[in-house]
Amino acid sequence: MKNKKLWTVAVGLIVIALIAAMFMPRNNEPAPNTRVVLEHTHRTYIAPSCFDEADATNFLEDATLGDAEELGYLPHSPCTEKSFQGNNDSFFIDLMKELGVMEKESEDW
């Protein structure tokens, strides 16, 4: 009987810890494999959602954010900078955004 009570308390504590972890804020950044457009003339990168307003040249390449950072390219505009800005959301909030229940701040990552 005592053993069963100990297991119940242990499982309860684990469940409480997992639920608490779902709601704790964490630092979120876009993944290095996030798609960007490299603007080689200006040595910048452009978020796909900002491309129409970017006034880009013809020297473009489809790449990843990791490639852009490796080349030392900077964001092309404030729009791109805002698109790839990190956030401090919890796992639960991220899940709700991925499921479409809540609106994402950026459609690029």
Side-chain angles (χ1 to χ4, degrees):
M1 188 69 145
K2 195 174 192 178
N3 198 15
K4 186 177 180 181
K5 191 174 186 178
L6 183 63
W7 276 105
T8 304
V9 169
V11 169
L13 289 174
I14 290 171
V15 167
I16 289 170
L18 288 173
I19 290 172
M22 283 187 67
F23 293 98
M24 292 178 73
R26 59 193 174 98
N27 214 5
N28 301 309
E29 297 288 329
N33 65 348
T34 303
R35 183 176 171 259
V36 297
V37 177
L38 298 179
E39 213 307 357
H40 292 294
T41 302
H42 300 293
R43 300 184 50 80
T44 58
Y45 62 92
I46 305 168
S49 63
C50 302
F51 187 76
D52 289 338
E53 63 186 54
D55 193 29
T57 65
N58 287 337
F59 194 16
L60 304 172
E61 179 184 359
D62 192 29
T64 65
L65 186 58
D67 295 336
E69 290 172 348
E70 195 174 294
L71 291 168
Y73 283 18
L74 298 174
H76 187 75
S77 66
C79 175
T80 296
E81 199 170 329
K82 185 178 181 222
S83 290
F84 293 120
Q85 189 174 20
N87 61 37
N88 225 7
D89 291 341
S90 68
F91 175 77
F92 179 75
I93 298 295
D94 275 347
L95 180 63
M96 292 296 107
K97 288 178 180 178
E98 287 300 318
L99 294 174
V101 176
M102 295 176 73
E103 189 175 333
K104 291 182 177 184
E105 289 93 24
S106 172
E107 59 192 59
D108 294 309
W109 63 283

